[in-house]
Amino acid sequence: MFEGFTERTGSFLWELAFNNERPWFQAHKTEFEEYVNTPFKALARECCELMLRRFPELDCELHISRIYRDARRLFGRGPYKDRLWFSIKADRGCEGPMFWFELGAADYSYGMGFYSATPEQMEAFRRSIDANPERFRRLAQGALHRGYKLEGEAYKRPKKLCGDELIDSWYNLKRAGLEKSFDLGGDAFSAELPRILADAFAGLMPMYEFFMEIYRAFPSERRAVRRRADNAAE
């Protein structure tokens, strides 16, 4: 059962960032389990369970990040991550739209996005906006009124500018997501955090379903095939 993170959660991740090597981690692994790993996994599972109770038709999987970085992709960094995340998404293999939570040494954040969208999917996204801009404006305003910030890399040359600042900000993104971030503390130290996250994700469900309409119409089949081939070659 999740009982809340503590100040020791943040201080451990700070120390890990400055001592990112195997001997230090092995000497402090008990602290990692107690202050970071155990509560993080409990939070992820309880949040996912709450979402499935509210939305029993939600076809999703829970994915929890590991503390270990891929040894083939260290690029001069230490072998351990100093940020952890979990996602609740429709399909682990094809990286569809997802709800997510991330924990760092000094902050935490959560939101929803379609971060691995293909160019074909984003083109379908723009066509959906063109077909019913009022519908999309309502969805976008609903999310922004809840305090979320739009994130995503924009094209250097806009696809189109229609003069509506809200729609233009979404229309010209390569990938799109919504995020809230907070200093570590407050709700993160509360046993109510799973419910708070489930409430937040429920509020984003209309936008999630909008992205899922596109994902169902244009699944990333080629990406899934390529990933399976890469895994077989490892």
Side-chain angles (χ1 to χ4, degrees), residues 161-201:
L161 295 175
C162 66
D164 185 314
E165 184 178 353
L166 176 62
I167 289 182
D168 286 345
S169 64
W170 286 83
Y171 197 95
N172 294 293
L173 292 178
K174 296 180 180 179
R175 296 170 184 83
L178 292 159
E179 175 184 0
K180 275 187 183 181
S181 59
F182 305 88
D183 292 337
L184 188 61
D187 290 338
F189 291 177
S190 167
E192 290 297 303
L193 185 57
R195 180 192 58 78
I196 291 168
L197 290 178
D199 286 345
F201 294 159

Side-chain angles (χ1 to χ4, degrees), residues 13-52:
L13 291 172
W14 273 121
E15 292 167 16
L16 177 60
F18 289 100
N19 299 278
N20 203 317
E21 53 190 23
R22 191 172 187 277
W24 185 91
F25 185 80
Q26 290 299 317
H28 296 81
K29 195 167 184 178
T30 301
E31 296 170 61
F32 166 68
E33 290 295 335
E34 180 177 356
Y35 300 118
V36 180
N37 199 36
T38 297
F40 190 83
K41 288 182 176 179
L43 171 65
R45 289 166 181 152
E46 288 180 34
C47 181
C48 188
E49 288 171 5
L50 287 171
M51 286 294 288
L52 291 173

